[in-house]
């Protein structure tokens, strides 16, 4: 198994000789660069850049994108480095593990790094990839050999629990560059639960869910993926009837009799009942001609 090899003789390099590739796992944040500039001005550069020497020789940045940007911003021409050579997957693991050790890494970046760590691990250990061709990002039986080997090694090297490693990889495998950048622009950080909900969704539904979350329309990705059913349309007649019946059965009989006396005329009209009143001279008059009679 090939490993990254440190080259002690290369300890300082001109900044313009350190290339930054397009596949960086974390974009450079202006706020973070500004904070590092202040630190460099007060204390100097505490941690060297990590680079990989390739043919040429050429040097590719492995770890230290923010530090490199800060040095360039203050006009520095050179930077202290730790230079490695060896297979790209082995050296890429240095970048990934350095970032995974950061306490301030978001769940989004942690998932991206962990999924990338698995890909680099499989690339460096092709023997573990036997039988997983075409396997989905989910943990299925065909991928279990590679999973068990990767998880065991990652638990040992990072101290992260097995269950969380599996969740992070599952979440990270569902993300591409476009979705990741849109999530970074959201008004709130995506949680691991948000990312897991996204990973379980159909690929065609992910973009709309991320857009809803990033725009602030929803505060959880699961809400965008499973919107609540609209409330049922209320029937005012049904609601009124239910309310009247509820009260009618609750009140004592004396209250019911008083109610009938108060609305008796209206009830008679509605029921089609004719009500007559006797006059002083002994004659009678119809007070209500019921609906039925009409």
């Amino acid at each position: 198994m090939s490993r990254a090899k440190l080259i002690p003789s290369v300890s300082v390099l001109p900044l313009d000789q350190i290339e930054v590739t397009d596949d960086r796992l974390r974009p450079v944040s202006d706020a973070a660069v500004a904070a590092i500039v202040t630190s460099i001005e007060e204390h100097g550069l505490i941690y060297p850049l990590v680079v990989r020497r390739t043919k040429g020789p050429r040097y590719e940045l492995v770890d230290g994108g923010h530090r490199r940007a800060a040095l360039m911003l203050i006009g520095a021409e050179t930077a202290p480095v730790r230079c490695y050579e060896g297979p790209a997957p082995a050296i890429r693991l240095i970048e990934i593990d350095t970032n995974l050790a950061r306490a301030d890494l978001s769940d989004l970046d942690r998932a991206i790094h962990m999924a990338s760590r698995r890909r680099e691990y499989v690339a460096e250990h092709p023997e573990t990839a036997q039988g997983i061709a075409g396997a989905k990002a989910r943990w299925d039986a065909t991928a279990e050999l590679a999973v068990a080997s990767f998880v065991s090694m990652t638990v040992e090297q990072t101290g992260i629990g097995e269950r969380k490693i599996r969740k992070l990889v599952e979440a990270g495998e569902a993300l591409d560059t476009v979705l990741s950048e849109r999530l970074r622009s959201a008004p709130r950080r995506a949680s691991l639960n948000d990312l897991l909900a996204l990973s379980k969704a159909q690929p065609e539904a992910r973009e709309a869910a991320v857009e809803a979350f990033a725009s602030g329309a929803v505060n959880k990705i699961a809400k965008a993926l499973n919107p609540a059913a609209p409330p049922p349309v209320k029937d005012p007649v049904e609601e009124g009837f239910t309310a009247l019946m509820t009260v009618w059965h609750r009140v004592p009989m004396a209250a019911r009799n008083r109610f009938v006396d108060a609305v008796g005329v209206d009830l008679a009209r509605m029921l089609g009942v004719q009500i007559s009143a006797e006059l002083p001279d002994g004659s009678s008059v119809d007070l209500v001609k019921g609906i039925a009679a009409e």
Side-chain angles (χ1 to χ4, degrees), residues 111-125:
I112 291 171
H113 280 69
M114 192 62 75
S116 180
R117 190 180 208 279
R118 180 178 180 239
R119 289 192 294 271
E120 300 298 345
Y121 176 82
V122 171
E124 190 184 6
H125 303 78

Side-chain angles (χ1 to χ4, degrees), residues 191-211:
S191 68
L192 181 54
N193 285 338
D194 286 319
L195 302 177
L196 287 171
L198 197 66
S199 73
K200 291 175 172 61
Q202 293 299 318
E204 59 270 18
R206 292 171 185 168
E207 184 176 349
V210 168
E211 183 59 35

Side-chain angles (χ1 to χ4, degrees), residues 92-110:
R92 189 63 176 270
L93 285 173
I94 297 174
E95 174 197 2
I96 295 170
D97 289 351
T98 299
N99 281 323
L100 283 173
R102 296 175 59 92
D104 61 343
L105 202 65
S106 67
D107 285 340
L108 171 62
D109 281 319
R110 201 172 295 279

Side-chain angles (χ1 to χ4, degrees), residues 70-280:
L71 288 169
M72 295 188 69
L73 192 62
I74 63 177
E77 297 182 354
T78 63
V81 300
R82 287 178 61 84
C83 183
Y84 293 86
E85 65 180 358
I91 295 176
R92 189 63 176 270
L93 285 173
I94 297 174
E95 174 197 2
I96 295 170
D97 289 351
T98 299
N99 281 323
L100 283 173
R102 296 175 59 92
D104 61 343
L105 202 65
S106 67
D107 285 340
L108 171 62
D109 281 319
R110 201 172 295 279
I112 291 171
H113 280 69
M114 192 62 75
S116 180
R117 190 180 208 279
R118 180 178 180 239
R119 289 192 294 271
E120 300 298 345
Y121 176 82
V122 171
E124 190 184 6
H125 303 78
E127 71 279 1
T128 66
Q130 295 176 3
I132 67 170
K136 297 180 180 179
R138 305 285 169 81
W139 306 108
D140 57 22
T142 61
E144 195 55 39
L145 174 62
V147 171
S149 177
F150 165 76
V151 170
S152 176
M153 184 271 290
T154 303
V155 168
E156 180 180 350
Q157 294 189 358
T158 67
I160 300 174
E162 176 180 338
R163 185 179 179 187
K164 187 164 187 179
I165 288 172
R166 290 175 177 264
K167 287 183 176 181
L168 287 168
V169 174
E170 182 178 351
E173 290 286 359
L175 298 170
D176 58 25
T177 302
V178 174
L179 293 180
S180 300
E181 289 307 306
R182 195 68 185 101
L183 287 171
R184 286 192 176 95
S185 70
R188 59 187 296 160
R189 281 188 168 189
S191 68
L192 181 54
N193 285 338
D194 286 319
L195 302 177
L196 287 171
L198 197 66
S199 73
K200 291 175 172 61
Q202 293 299 318
E204 59 270 18
R206 292 171 185 168
E207 184 176 349
V210 168
E211 183 59 35
F213 181 79
S215 67
V218 296
N219 60 3
K220 294 182 182 299
I221 288 178
K223 288 185 178 180
L225 292 168
N226 302 293
V233 177
K234 295 182 179 180
D235 183 348
V237 174
E238 185 65 25
E239 288 189 327
F241 170 75
T242 301
L244 286 173
M245 291 302 296
T246 299
V247 174
W248 179 265
H249 290 295
R250 285 180 179 175
V251 300
M253 184 58 69
R256 297 183 194 179
N257 291 335
R258 185 175 176 182
F259 172 79
V260 172
D261 289 343
V263 299
V265 173
D266 288 338
L267 290 174
R269 182 182 294 111
M270 295 171 68
L271 294 172
V273 177
Q274 183 170 312
I275 300 178
S276 299
E278 185 175 343
L279 298 176

